[in-house]
Amino acid sequence: MSSALAPAKLNLALLVGPRRPDGKHEVATVLQRLALADSIDLEPDGQLAVGGFPEDTLVRDALQALAKRAGVPPRWRTRITKEIPVAAGLGGGSSDAATALRLANATLERPLPGAELAQLAETLGADVPFFLAEGPQLGTGDGSTLEPLALPQEYVVLLVLPEAERKSSTRAVYEDFDRHDGARGFVERRARLVAALSPPDLAALPPNDLVSSPVADELRALRAFRADVSGAGPAVYGLFQDRESAGAAEAEVRARGRTWITRPEW
């Protein structure tokens, strides 16, 4: 049996532009892995079986797609052990799928080359290719066109999943964005993002275009040098210079919901 961690991700910035001809939105997003991670166990088996997390669909879809592309039966037994909160904007499902793809591909007599595996990952979701790449990435297009970034990694992350907030579907979040003409000014915001990356200044990155949260304001007041919502939410993150500051902030906001203190991961 093979095992691997499936890390969470942060959208350190998420800018959204107009709808594209394919129905997706143009985006510019800064993607960073976290040490907070699910665990994936996989081994060849007589049939396809995915256990440990009954709500999963993406890992199963990923393995079926890999088998079809490789011309083999989908015969793997996989177990998902969840640590990343579900539907929180932290990419747990995409990361699980990418990790399962990588583990299953390694069991093939003729594994798919990296570029082909990344193309396959793109068909599963815009975030999935990121989890096959290394290091922080700038995602453009629909988010799946990746460019490596050299970002600072010496900080501590406090995650807050507010108890009172429930995630709307990603589709609903984008529909609300369109109703409010959120794409206006996208070119200017993207230019601001690019400027904040040369040299990288995480505090100067523009805020999330899709959603906001008063918890982010609280974290900034508690000495986070950056705080925002990740993805379509509702998870909120604060970046702190050290664990002591993050721990003090966590003590102040833990009544708001579930919290984690973690770190960036390459």
Side-chain angles (χ1 to χ4, degrees):
M1 177 177 289
S2 300
S3 301
L5 294 177
K9 60 83 180 170
L10 286 182
N11 294 91
L12 291 175
L14 176 56
L15 306 183
V16 182
R19 192 183 294 270
R20 299 161 14 136
D22 63 5
K24 300 177 182 179
H25 285 75
E26 192 75 19
V27 304
T29 183
V30 177
L31 296 161
Q32 169 68 58
R33 284 177 184 77
L34 296 177
L36 176 67
D38 294 340
S39 179
I40 305 296
D41 300 314
L42 180 143
E43 62 183 345
D45 195 57
Q47 60 183 355
L48 180 61
V50 180
F53 180 52
E55 292 85 354
D56 168 73
T57 57
L58 199 52
V59 166
R60 181 177 293 275
D61 289 348
L63 295 176
Q64 288 173 333
L66 175 64
K68 183 176 181 180
R69 181 71 64 93
V72 299
R75 292 177 178 172
W76 295 281
R77 179 173 297 277
T78 307
R79 184 168 186 84
I80 305 169
T81 304
K82 294 295 293 182
E83 295 292 341
I84 303 169
V86 178
L90 298 173
S94 295
S95 186
D96 294 346
T99 303
L101 271 181
R102 181 164 50 83
L103 291 175
N105 191 51
T107 70
L108 296 175
E109 184 176 346
R110 295 182 179 179
L112 301 186
E116 189 173 353
L117 195 65
Q119 289 175 350
L120 178 62
E122 188 175 340
T123 68
L124 299 165
D127 281 345
V128 181
F130 165 67
F131 291 105
L132 293 177
E134 291 188 358
Q137 301 279 332
L138 174 65
T140 56
D142 69 349
S144 62
T145 300
L146 301 174
E147 177 184 342
L149 295 173
L151 297 184
Q153 304 285 291
E154 295 77 28
Y155 56 87
V156 178
V157 181
L158 170 60
L159 297 174
V160 184
L161 187 59
E163 192 172 69
E165 297 183 27
R166 294 292 179 266
K167 180 179 179 177
S168 302
S169 70
T170 300
R171 179 178 179 179
V173 171
Y174 273 94
E175 286 175 348
D176 186 63
F177 175 84
D178 289 337
R179 277 195 299 271
H180 292 88
D181 194 21
R184 181 183 298 175
F186 174 67
V187 173
E188 292 78 9
R189 294 194 302 278
R190 185 171 55 190
R192 180 181 166 194
L193 182 151
V194 171
L197 294 174
S198 304
D201 179 0
L202 300 184
L205 289 169
N208 188 321
D209 275 353
L210 284 180
V211 282
S212 61
S213 171
V215 177
D217 297 329
E218 292 182 45
L219 294 179
R220 283 188 286 270
L222 292 167
R223 299 177 55 196
F225 65 85
R226 178 169 182 79
D228 208 342
V229 180
S230 183
V236 180
Y237 65 87
L239 309 186
F240 293 83
Q241 297 290 352
D242 52 56
R243 190 172 183 88
E244 182 180 1
S245 299
E250 191 271 342
E252 293 292 328
V253 300
R254 66 174 57 142
R256 299 295 300 271
R258 296 173 65 192
T259 61
W260 298 258
I261 294 178
T262 186
R263 64 182 188 279
E265 190 83 5
W266 189 262

